[in-house]
């Protein structure tokens, strides 16, 4: 990594002005000091899709579906009220009796926005669209009203998937890949390097030299376990940076439980993990952490890909008595839940559609959401395929009554509970009699707020309910407990006192009452009639059964394993298809995701969009070789990680003597001729600060904690509507959607957070005290601080500047400075480029 500009970062006067005012002025006027890249040696993240791609996605996901659902019936080819058609951009520009419907870029004068807002006109009549949809239209018009493929009408015949469609690179069967051999290759360490070397030679580029021992070890630790090495680990490796020592270190880190804690984070981003419901109430989910722990343990155990997929999509269907399957099926419960939504039918439909979208994003690497309403306009995915995929999850019912316990544990619990119930029966009967009127009243008031068809589902006997009836009844029951504080809110004072008395009497029997079994959020299939999956088209309602994407090769699935009783086995079948070794798409997607985690960007940069609107692989042969290696190792992640980090490609320096010339030949840096500098993730920044101060606790799993607790950041509570904490300042995913590549922003608020946040200030103080206690000289203290933060000792010029700041007397080199001076220096190091970036 390039050294920081001495003239504007390490000048002694800067150290004498650690006041908020001076620091803020420096940061706001020259962000390159702390977050910017110092010179041409630094690489930016080039994985973000362009604006045009985002505009197309907005149109296909938001604008086109809204027009189809709400507008075309009255303003299409069959009927044009007011002389207005809305089925093409030209028609919108022409308008109807009142003039053009849109003026691209002019929000004020576009009549369609006036109509949607029910100002001069009302469209649709009677009821406005959701404010979110209206805002999407406003943004669309303001950005120029992009309408892709203007020659394609909104209403069209069903898509026919052709042989040409099936020949798209991501869907093609993976063929055996021969490792290239290029004359004069003395650089390559393994097969990965030979693919990279071939590409470099074709462009006339030489790879960068290897990174030095300090840089390489810090990179290795941050990329494999998410925290920097200790001082002892740094000393040991720099004393012996041989290939054998490096490989031993790699093997040790892959077995370190912190590997799972670090690698699980990217998967949690993909499945939009959060610990709250989202939207208005954003209620906390105290038991969902067990799904997070399942993912961590799966990475640590190197669970094969097929088992990993099966557990999450169908863990409840797996035969046997291991409760971890039900825990893993918490994946199906991660979506947003609106606690007071009366339109239960639409709410559940949104939940199921969003789940289908995430299955597509996460496991298939395809953006499917636009096919909810029409055939995909760019990829060979008919609308029917979307609902065939959704049909696999159609029978699920949310379960809040399951526990992470074996049958034996459940039996033991029931026996102990029966003893407690026998001895407390008289008290409980009196308590039940007291509470029953309040419960009855709450049930009546809750149910009557729903539409009549939803009420009918709730009142139907459970044995007669279809899966849809059961899903509606569940949503009603949730509101019984959650809305208005539950049934006992507003209880008469005398009844409150009597209730308290009965509860105190029950408490006397707590010694014989068994501790509750650990609750989980999970699912199961409805054990009644499974409702059909249907969708609307221009020609009416269509019904489908579970099925796979037509564009992918036909797979001969092995016999589906036995599943638990009262389950359809649909999701087991889906999981087997996704993880099948002959499925070329899903295995390519997973191999690419691992490459992305270790290099910062995938060979396919749009790692959740392998369709025609995504980016093609920068090295297709290498991607297919990695995928073949992944499959050959039974879909295990650790062998692939080792293969990557052992390569000469991964071990390159971030600096290159011919960087300017190479950028002219490969401006996107797709050929891996140097290692790309990346900012640490939010979690890595926080955990590295705690590691430097010596406070980071190493506890695996368990309930989440407040941000003030010194545990790994993966264990910090994450709520969808609470985005003002330290982690979210540095672009932590918010859990609202599947995220394959996080934003990497540079904002003044990040600088101010590092300068003023109490967490950072306290860690700097703790680190300073620890360093002073453990150091026998100024140089030892300086080295310790730099090694803990930057992973390397200071160079001579940096040491001279630190001497000036600390006012070190060269005549008395063993006299340690005051702790406040060391504290300020620690604070500066936390704010520095070499700490915040990995090279």
């Amino acid at each position: 990594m390039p050294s920081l500009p001495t003239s504007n970062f390490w000048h002694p006067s800067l150290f004498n002005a650690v006041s908020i005012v001076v620091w803020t002025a420096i940061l706001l006027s020259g962000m390159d000091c702390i977050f910017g890249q110092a010179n041409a040696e630094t690489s930016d993240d080039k994985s973000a899709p362009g604006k045009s791609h985002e505009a197309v996605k907005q149109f296909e996901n938001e604008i086109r579906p809204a027009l189809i659902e709400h507008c075309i019936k009255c303003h299409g080819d069959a009927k044009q009220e007011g002389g207005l058609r809305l089925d093409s951009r030209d028609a919108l520009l022409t308008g109807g009796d009142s003039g053009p419907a849109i003026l691209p870029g002019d929000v004020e004068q576009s009549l369609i926005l006036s109509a949607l807002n029910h100002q001069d006109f009302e469209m649709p009549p009677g009821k406005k669209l959701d404010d979110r949809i209206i805002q999407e239209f406003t943004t669309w018009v303001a950005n120029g009203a992009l309408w892709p493929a203007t020659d394609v009408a909104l209403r069209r015949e069903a898509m026919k998937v052709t042989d040409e469609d099936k020949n798209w690179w991501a869907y093609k069967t993976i063929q055996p890949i021969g490792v290239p051999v290029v004359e004069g290759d003395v650089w390559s360490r393994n097969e990965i390097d030979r693919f990279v070397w071939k590409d470099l030679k074709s462009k006339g580029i030489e790879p960068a030299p290897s990174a030095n021992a300090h840089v390489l070890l810090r990179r290795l630790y941050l990329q494999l376990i998410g925290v920097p090495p200790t001082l002892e680990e740094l000393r040991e490796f720099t004393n012996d940076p041989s290939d054998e020592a490096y490989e031993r270190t790699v093997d040790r880190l892959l077995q370190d439980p912190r590997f799972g804690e670090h690698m699980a984070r990217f998967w949690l981003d993909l499945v939009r993990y959060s610990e709250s419901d989202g939207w208005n109430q954003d209620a906390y989910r105290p038991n969902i952490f067990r799904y997070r722990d399942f993912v961590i343990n799966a990475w640590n155990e190197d669970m094969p890909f097929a088992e990993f997929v099966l557990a999450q999509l169908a863990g409840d269907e797996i035969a046997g008595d291991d409760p971890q399957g039900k825990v893993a099926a918490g994946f199906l419960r991660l979506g947003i839940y609106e606690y007071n939504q009366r339109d239960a039918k639409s709410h559940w439909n949104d939940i199921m559609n969003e789940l289908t979208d995430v299955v597509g994003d996460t496991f298939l690497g395809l953006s499917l959401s636009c096919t909810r309403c029409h055939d995909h306009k760019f990829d060979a995915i008919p609308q029917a395929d979307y609902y065939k995929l959704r049909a696999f999850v159609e029978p699920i019912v949310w379960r809040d009554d399951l526990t992470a316990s074996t049958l034996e544990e459940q039996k033991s619990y029931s026996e102990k509970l029966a003893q407690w119930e026998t001895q407390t029966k008289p008290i409980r009967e009196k308590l039940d009699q007291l509470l029953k009127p309040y419960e009855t009243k709450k049930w009546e008031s809750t149910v009557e707020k729903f539409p009549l068809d939803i009420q009918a589902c709730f009142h139907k006997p459970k044995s007669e309910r279809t899966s849809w009836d059961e899903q509606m009844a569940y949503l009603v029951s949730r509101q019984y407990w959650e809305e208005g504080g539950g049934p006992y809110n507003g209880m008469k004072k005398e009844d409150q006192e009597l209730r308290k008395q009965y509860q105190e009497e029950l408490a006397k029997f707590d010694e014989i009452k068994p501790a509750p079994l650990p609750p989980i959020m999970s699912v199961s299939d409805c054990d009644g009639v499974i409702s059909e999956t249907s969708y609307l088209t221009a020609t009416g309602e269509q019904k489908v059964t579970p099925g796979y994407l037509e564009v992918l090769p036909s797979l001969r699935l092995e016999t589906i394993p036995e599943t638990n009783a009262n389950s359809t086995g649909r999701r087991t079948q889906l999981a087997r298809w996704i993880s099948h070794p002959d499925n070329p798409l899903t295995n390519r997607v997973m191999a690419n995701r691992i490459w992305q985690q270790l290099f910062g960007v995938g060979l396919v940069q749009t790692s959740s969009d392998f369709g025609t609107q995504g980016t093609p692989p920068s090295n297709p042969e290498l991607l297919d070789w990695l995928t073949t290696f992944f499959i050959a190792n039974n879909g295990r992640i650790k062998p692939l990680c080792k293969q990557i980090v052992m390569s000469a490609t991964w071990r390159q320096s971030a600096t290159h003597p011919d960087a300017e010339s190479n950028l002219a030949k490969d401006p996107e840096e797709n050929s891996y001729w140097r290692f790309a500098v990346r900012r640490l993730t939010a979690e890595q920044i926080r955990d590295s600060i705690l590691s430097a101060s010596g406070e980071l606790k190493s506890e695996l799993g368990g309930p989440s904690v407040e941000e003030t607790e010194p545990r790994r950041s993966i264990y910090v509570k994450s709520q969808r509507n609470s985005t003002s904490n330290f982690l979210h300042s540095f672009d932590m995913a918010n859990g609202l959607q599947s995220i394959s590549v996080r934003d990497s922003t540079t904002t003044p608020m990040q600088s101010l957070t590092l300068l003023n946040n109490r967490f950072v200030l306290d860690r700097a103080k703790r680190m300073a005290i620890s360093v002073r206690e453990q150091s026998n000289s100024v140089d030892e203290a300086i080295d310790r601080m730099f090694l803990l933060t930057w992973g390397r000792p200071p160079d001579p010029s940096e040491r001279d500047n630190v001497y000036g700041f600390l006012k070190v007397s060269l005549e008395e080199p063993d006299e340690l400075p005051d702790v406040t001076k060391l504290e300020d220096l620690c604070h500066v190091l936390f704010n520095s480029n070499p700490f915040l970036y990995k090279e």
Side-chain angles (χ1 to χ4, degrees):
M1 184 171 183
S3 59
L4 294 166
T6 305
S7 60
N8 66 359
F9 188 83
W10 286 116
H11 194 278
S13 64
L14 181 60
F15 288 109
N16 292 326
V18 190
S19 68
I20 293 173
V21 175
V22 175
W23 268 98
T24 302
I26 290 170
L27 293 174
L28 295 181
S29 63
M31 294 295 290
D32 64 314
C33 281
I34 290 185
F35 291 104
Q37 304 300 347
N39 60 29
E41 290 294 342
T42 303
S43 304
D44 292 323
D45 186 352
K46 299 178 178 66
S47 59
K51 291 182 179 179
S52 60
H53 179 53
E54 292 301 318
V56 170
K57 287 178 65 176
Q58 189 218 16
F59 180 83
E60 296 297 348
N61 293 347
E62 307 292 348
I63 306 303
R64 195 189 291 271
L67 290 171
I68 291 173
E69 183 177 355
H70 302 289
C71 307
I72 298 305
K73 187 181 295 184
C74 299
H75 301 284
D77 58 352
K79 183 180 180 181
Q80 300 91 40
E81 288 191 5
L84 176 64
R85 291 185 65 162
L86 298 174
D87 55 357
S88 73
R89 191 174 192 271
D90 288 343
L92 282 159
L93 292 170
T94 301
D97 298 342
S98 301
I102 60 169
L103 293 175
D106 193 335
V107 172
E108 299 296 328
Q109 299 301 317
S110 291
L111 294 180
I112 192 172
L113 299 180
S114 174
L116 291 174
N117 283 292
H118 284 202
Q119 294 171 348
D120 299 326
F121 310 95
E122 290 189 4
M123 190 173 77
K127 183 180 179 181
K128 287 174 61 176
L129 296 181
D130 186 83
D131 288 343
R132 184 190 65 79
I133 298 177
I134 296 174
Q135 182 56 49
E136 292 289 349
F137 270 90
T138 304
T139 302
W140 176 63
V141 171
N143 290 339
L146 173 73
W147 188 297
T150 54
D151 60 328
V152 180
L154 289 174
R155 298 171 67 176
R156 53 177 284 178
E157 295 298 321
M159 172 185 286
K160 302 296 183 184
V161 178
T162 67
D163 289 341
E164 183 181 356
D165 294 326
K166 295 180 180 181
N167 203 39
W168 180 246
W169 69 265
Y171 311 145
K172 292 168 76 171
T173 301
I174 301 171
Q175 301 297 330
I177 301 294
V179 178
V181 177
V182 180
E183 186 178 352
D185 179 7
V186 295
W187 172 74
S188 297
R189 294 176 181 270
N190 63 18
E191 292 87 343
I192 289 173
D193 299 327
R194 295 186 177 94
F195 286 99
V196 173
W197 177 264
K198 177 184 175 183
D199 186 32
L200 291 174
K201 289 291 100 179
S202 70
K203 296 176 180 176
I205 297 176
E206 292 290 330
S210 295
N212 69 49
H214 282 104
V215 168
L216 189 58
L217 192 69
R218 183 172 187 262
R219 180 193 301 172
L220 189 65
Y221 269 72
L222 288 170
Q223 295 297 79
L224 288 185
I225 65 172
V227 292
T230 65
L231 298 183
E232 184 56 38
E233 289 163 340
L234 276 166
R235 290 191 193 99
E236 182 180 343
F237 184 73
T238 52
N239 287 335
D240 179 16
S242 64
D243 281 354
E244 293 76 14
Y246 180 77
E247 185 170 7
R248 287 196 302 271
T249 303
V250 170
D251 290 337
R252 177 170 52 80
L253 294 182
L254 290 173
Q255 297 306 315
D256 192 311
R258 293 174 294 179
F259 173 80
E261 292 176 321
H262 173 61
M263 294 296 283
R265 184 64 262 178
F266 94 85
W267 188 261
L268 297 180
D269 283 3
L270 283 170
V271 299
R272 79 303 186 211
Y273 175 83
S274 188
E275 296 173 347
S276 67
D277 288 340
W279 297 143
N280 293 317
Q281 190 188 39
D282 203 34
Y284 186 64
R285 298 173 172 176
N287 303 316
I288 198 62
F289 76 88
R290 292 189 173 88
Y291 169 78
R292 176 207 66 204
D293 286 354
F294 158 78
V295 177
I296 293 172
N297 292 334
W299 287 104
N300 278 332
E301 294 166 6
D302 208 9
M303 182 180 288
F305 183 54
E307 294 179 22
F308 188 58
V309 174
L310 177 63
Q312 292 174 85
L313 287 175
D316 60 298
E317 292 186 340
I318 299 173
D321 194 26
D322 185 356
Q324 284 306 302
K326 297 182 181 67
V327 171
F331 161 75
L332 301 164
R333 293 291 305 274
L334 296 177
I336 291 170
Y337 167 75
E338 189 61 70
Y339 82 104
N340 64 349
Q341 176 60 262
R342 312 295 184 209
D343 186 359
K345 181 177 181 179
S346 294
H347 188 27
W348 187 257
N349 189 54
D350 288 343
I351 288 170
M352 297 301 287
N353 282 341
E354 194 258 355
L355 175 57
T356 306
D357 294 346
V358 172
V359 170
D361 288 334
T362 302
F363 296 105
L364 304 181
L366 291 174
S367 179
L368 301 178
S369 57
C370 64
T371 52
R372 294 181 190 175
C373 303
H374 55 80
D375 294 341
H376 205 293
K377 300 306 175 185
F378 305 101
D379 293 325
I381 306 174
Q383 186 182 10
D385 277 12
Y386 181 90
Y387 289 94
K388 289 177 184 177
L389 194 63
R390 170 172 158 166
F392 283 107
V393 297
E394 200 73 62
I396 67 170
V397 177
W398 285 5
R399 299 289 299 274
D400 300 316
D401 59 332
L402 300 177
T403 59
S405 57
T406 64
L407 292 175
E408 182 62 34
E409 289 168 336
Q410 293 169 29
K411 180 183 177 182
S412 174
Y413 173 80
S414 297
E415 290 172 351
K416 293 176 182 177
L417 185 65
Q419 296 177 19
W420 176 84
E421 287 176 339
T422 299
Q423 296 195 38
T424 59
K425 183 177 179 180
I427 306 171
R428 289 187 296 103
E429 286 179 342
K430 290 187 288 184
L431 181 59
D432 291 345
Q433 186 176 3
L434 173 68
L435 299 180
K436 187 172 182 180
Y438 292 99
E439 294 169 352
T440 301
K441 181 179 179 180
K442 183 66 165 68
W443 276 119
E444 291 173 350
S445 66
T446 296
V447 176
E448 68 183 10
K449 293 174 184 176
F450 287 85
L452 293 176
D453 59 338
I454 306 303
Q455 294 184 38
C457 295
F458 178 80
H459 289 301
K460 189 180 293 187
K462 186 173 178 62
S463 60
E464 299 177 14
R465 290 176 182 169
T466 66
S467 60
W468 188 79
D469 295 332
E470 191 68 38
Q471 291 154 357
M472 296 304 100
Y474 172 86
L475 292 179
V476 174
S477 300
R478 278 285 293 264
Q479 292 198 22
Y480 167 80
W481 289 107
E482 295 185 11
E483 187 192 20
Y488 313 125
N489 193 30
M491 181 180 284
K492 294 178 182 178
K493 185 175 182 180
E494 56 269 28
D495 287 345
Q496 289 181 18
E497 293 174 352
L498 196 55
R499 181 189 182 198
K500 181 180 179 182
Q501 176 187 327
Y502 292 150
Q503 289 174 333
E504 289 174 347
E505 291 179 24
L506 284 174
K508 296 175 183 177
F509 296 87
D510 281 352
E511 288 187 1
I512 63 171
K513 186 177 182 179
L517 296 172
I520 59 175
M521 293 178 68
S522 192
V523 304
S524 65
D525 274 1
C526 175
D527 55 8
V529 175
I530 305 304
S531 301
E532 292 182 300
T533 299
S534 62
Y535 64 100
L536 291 174
T537 69
T539 56
E541 185 179 37
Q542 306 292 325
K543 299 183 185 299
V544 296
T545 56
Y548 310 116
L549 299 189
E550 184 182 350
V551 75
L552 285 172
S554 297
L555 299 178
R556 186 167 53 192
L557 294 179
E558 65 272 19
T559 302
I560 301 301
E562 179 187 355
T563 61
N564 280 327
N566 300 322
S567 190
T568 65
R570 289 186 183 187
R571 288 176 282 115
T572 294
Q573 191 174 2
L574 174 63
R576 293 298 182 191
W577 175 76
I578 286 174
S579 61
H580 196 286
D582 291 338
N583 190 323
L585 174 63
T586 54
N587 286 288
R588 280 188 177 109
V589 167
M590 195 59 182
N592 185 67
R593 293 199 192 283
I594 301 305
W595 182 275
Q596 176 189 318
Q597 297 317 302
L598 296 173
F599 276 98
V601 61
L603 291 165
V604 178
Q605 294 185 6
T606 52
S607 51
S608 284
D609 191 353
F610 274 46
T612 59
Q613 296 302 291
T615 59
S618 58
N619 195 321
E621 290 182 336
L622 175 56
L623 176 59
D624 278 6
W625 185 88
L626 291 168
T627 306
T628 303
F629 181 89
F630 176 62
I631 295 170
N633 281 277
N634 199 24
R636 294 185 182 274
I637 302 301
K638 290 183 179 181
L640 184 56
C641 288
K642 180 175 180 178
Q643 189 76 5
I644 292 172
V645 300
M646 289 298 295
S647 69
T649 306
W650 196 83
R651 293 197 238 180
Q652 288 178 98
S653 172
T655 61
H656 196 293
D658 297 321
E660 188 173 346
S661 172
N662 289 349
L663 284 170
K665 299 172 184 176
D666 180 27
E668 297 297 318
E669 298 192 46
N670 288 328
S671 295
Y672 296 95
W673 44 269
R674 66 175 174 183
F675 194 86
V677 175
R678 306 272 169 187
R679 199 197 71 198
L680 303 188
T681 64
E683 292 86 353
Q684 287 173 328
I685 293 172
R686 179 180 177 275
D687 294 350
S688 293
I689 289 174
L690 283 168
S691 178
S693 68
E695 298 170 282
L696 185 61
K697 292 183 180 179
S698 56
E699 299 175 21
L700 197 67
S704 295
V705 299
E706 299 297 332
E707 195 175 45
T708 52
E709 291 293 313
R711 292 197 64 192
R712 289 292 298 264
S713 296
I714 198 168
Y715 301 119
V716 171
K717 288 181 179 179
S718 60
Q719 291 190 249
R720 289 182 164 105
N721 289 353
S722 300
T723 58
S724 58
N725 60 18
F726 181 90
L727 293 171
H728 282 96
S729 299
F730 293 94
D731 308 307
M732 179 183 177
N734 58 19
L736 293 172
Q737 64 217 2
S738 176
I739 298 295
S740 60
V741 181
R742 284 192 187 179
D743 292 334
S744 185
T745 62
T746 300
T747 69
M749 286 307 300
Q750 293 168 346
S751 301
L752 294 172
T753 296
L754 287 171
L755 288 171
N756 303 320
N757 187 277
R758 176 47 55 188
F759 166 79
V760 181
L761 294 171
D762 288 347
R763 303 292 74 72
K765 183 175 184 178
R766 180 63 253 173
M767 180 181 169
I769 293 172
S770 175
V771 165
R772 199 173 194 282
E773 289 174 348
Q774 298 179 54
S775 301
N776 297 314
S777 68
V778 173
D779 277 334
E780 185 181 347
I782 293 172
D783 285 345
R784 186 179 292 273
M785 285 187 284
F786 272 72
L787 289 167
L788 287 170
T789 53
W790 291 15
R792 66 167 176 83
D795 63 31
S797 63
E798 291 163 346
R799 190 182 299 274
D800 287 344
N801 280 316
V802 171
Y803 282 162
F805 169 68
L806 296 176
K807 294 184 170 54
V808 172
S809 172
L810 297 180
E811 287 76 26
E812 299 179 7
D814 293 337
E815 184 176 342
L816 290 168
D818 185 84
V819 73
T820 56
K821 284 286 186 184
L822 295 177
E823 181 181 341
D824 285 346
L825 178 56
C826 292
H827 194 195
V828 168
L829 293 173
F830 286 155
N831 280 266
S832 67
N833 216 5
F835 176 73
L836 295 166
Y837 284 81
K838 52 180 175 284
E839 55 170 317

